[in-house]
Amino acid sequence: MKQLASFLAIVSLLAMVIVPSVHGQNEEETVAKGLEIAQAAQDVKSGFGNYIAKQVMVLKDRKGRESKRELQVQILEVEEQGDRILFLFEEPRDVRGTALLIHSNEDQPDDQWFFLPATNRVTRLNSSGQSKSFMGSEFSYEDMNPPEVSKFTYKYLRDEPCEDLNCTVSERVPVSKGSNYSRQLVWHDDEAYRVWKIEYYDRRGDHLKTLTVSDYEQYLDEYWFAQTMVMTNHVNGKSTTLNWSDFEFRVDLDEDDFTQTSLRRTR
């Protein structure tokens, strides 16, 4: 009996030593795999050069009442810097000419400027301002920034079916302390690394919003772009749908089209 007790004590001691080591190794593997998935998803979307597209924003309140806004979106890839993005509102008339300019940065927070025609002023948005609603939608200004790989830490969680595909589910945590989110869960298919769903958790860890992505189409025989994105807010019961169309790739755009001065020319 004493021998059995001694044996169990040794097993218990070994478990205390070995299990943390194994757990630590698994943790490293999940972090590495999460980063690998995020990097692959970014790589397959790179190289398109630039594009112009139409976007219809449909805002729906908790009672199902809808309002619509029409935008033009311009995006330019800038090598070793990040994307340049311009959202220009065209309809309805009361928001026409309103614009959001984003300079994406790989190693620091993105720069954002907002132009309101009524005041003819360009306003720079600080990090706290980026947590606010983008033009009354369920997308925040932070959500409009490109998800550069360097802006998050990652952890692979599991595989599970999505649509008719298999998806990986990864957790990403914003590096910036000014982020509105404590973490996000991202579903990528393992066929083309397309995003199908993102769950957003607020600073308290509560599930705040869910983005669902669908209707992918391939352009230039290589790049997949979604035609429909729906952001649902689980707190206020509202949702915003972004319908994309009329993509034109490799058009006449350069960095001069994405400056604070160019914002005033959008009126």
Side-chain angles (χ1 to χ4, degrees), residues 122-244:
V122 176
T123 303
R124 185 187 181 95
L125 297 177
N126 57 30
S127 57
S128 61
Q130 292 190 24
S131 65
K132 297 178 180 179
S133 165
F134 175 51
M135 293 293 289
S137 73
E138 298 315 304
F139 290 83
S140 68
Y141 285 93
E142 180 180 351
D143 298 333
M144 311 312 290
N145 291 329
E148 300 285 354
V149 171
S150 58
K151 294 173 183 173
F152 302 88
T153 60
Y154 300 89
K155 181 187 293 185
Y156 162 78
L157 300 179
R158 62 185 182 272
D159 282 14
E160 67 179 44
C162 59
E163 302 292 332
D164 297 325
L165 302 167
N166 181 68
C167 275
T168 59
V169 185
S170 298
E171 178 188 71
R172 66 186 186 194
V173 176
V175 172
S176 172
K177 296 186 182 300
S179 174
N180 194 40
Y181 307 114
S182 60
R183 65 188 182 114
Q184 302 168 15
L185 300 186
V186 187
W187 278 252
H188 289 99
D189 69 64
D190 59 9
E191 186 175 280
Y193 294 98
R194 293 163 292 197
V195 173
W196 293 92
K197 184 168 73 170
I198 303 176
E199 291 182 353
Y200 298 84
Y201 293 80
D202 65 20
R203 299 301 301 177
R204 296 176 299 179
D206 296 330
H207 187 186
L208 176 62
K209 301 186 296 189
T210 299
L211 175 68
T212 53
V213 186
S214 60
D215 304 325
Y216 275 95
E217 291 189 13
Q218 192 175 40
Y219 296 89
L220 304 177
D221 297 322
E222 184 176 358
Y223 303 102
W224 291 97
F225 286 85
Q227 314 299 296
T228 308
M229 301 176 176
V230 182
M231 184 72 86
T232 302
N233 190 311
H234 303 294
V235 176
N236 62 24
K238 299 179 181 180
S239 67
T240 299
T241 300
L242 303 181
N243 295 310
W244 295 76

Side-chain angles (χ1 to χ4, degrees), residues 63-80:
K63 294 183 179 179
R65 294 173 297 199
E66 294 185 356
S67 59
K68 295 183 179 180
R69 292 169 178 173
E70 297 181 12
L71 304 82
Q72 183 187 85
V73 183
Q74 302 178 9
I75 297 184
L76 173 72
E77 288 184 309
V78 180
E79 190 174 352
E80 298 182 356

Side-chain angles (χ1 to χ4, degrees), residues 1-40:
M1 194 72 178
K2 290 183 178 179
Q3 290 179 337
L4 177 60
S6 298
F7 174 75
L8 292 175
I10 293 171
V11 170
S12 177
L13 180 61
L14 287 172
M16 293 174 64
V17 174
I18 294 173
V19 170
S21 176
V22 173
H23 177 73
Q25 182 180 4
N26 289 339
E27 182 82 5
E28 291 177 3
E29 291 174 353
T30 60
V31 168
K33 185 170 182 179
L35 177 59
E36 178 185 344
I37 292 167
Q39 188 64 61

